[in-house]
Amino acid sequence: MRIQSLAAVALLSAISLGASVPAKAANPAHVQRLLKTGECLKCDLSGANLKGAHLIGADLRSANLKGANLQNANLEGADLTGANLKGANLKQAFVNSTTLNNADLSNANLSNAKLYSAELEGATLIGANLNGTDVFNTNIGVGGGE
């Protein structure tokens, strides 16, 4: 009986500790606007589940997509200039003719993505996972400055 009580206390402690740390989540109205109109300039989409979303030509300039799930998303022709994609999951995403100038892709997962004719001028790719990524007609800089 005492073991069951200790297990219950441990479980409740773990739950209350987890609940006391608020998770930053996407603004639901912003997610709906993006999916309905394809426009979400400066939106908070942090942590959003956009897995498999068709975001063709979407305007996501300066949007916060930190930790968002964009696995298998179609970002063809999308404008993500200045977007925050830190830690975002872009695994197997179709990134064709996509503008990512000055975007932060630090620690983003781009494994097995299709990166075709993408613009990455000034983009940060520190720690990004590019394993298996198919890169065509896209300049990815390696190394430091001038």
Side-chain angles (χ1 to χ4, degrees), residues 9-60:
V9 169
L11 178 62
L12 289 173
S13 296
I15 291 170
S16 66
L17 284 174
S20 66
V21 180
K24 183 154 174 54
N27 181 326
H30 290 180
V31 174
Q32 288 304 311
R33 183 169 86 198
L34 171 63
L35 296 175
K36 185 175 181 180
T37 69
E39 183 279 323
C40 214
L41 180 70
K42 297 182 180 179
C43 283
D44 178 10
L45 301 166
S46 56
N49 184 5
L50 297 166
K51 183 176 182 179
H54 292 274
L55 301 173
I56 300 165
D59 183 356
L60 289 161

Side-chain angles (χ1 to χ4, degrees), residues 102-125:
N102 300 310
D104 189 346
L105 291 146
S106 299
N107 300 313
N109 182 2
L110 289 150
S111 63
N112 299 310
K114 306 288 189 226
L115 203 57
Y116 302 152
S117 301
E119 296 179 25
L120 291 162
E121 188 174 322
T124 302
L125 289 155

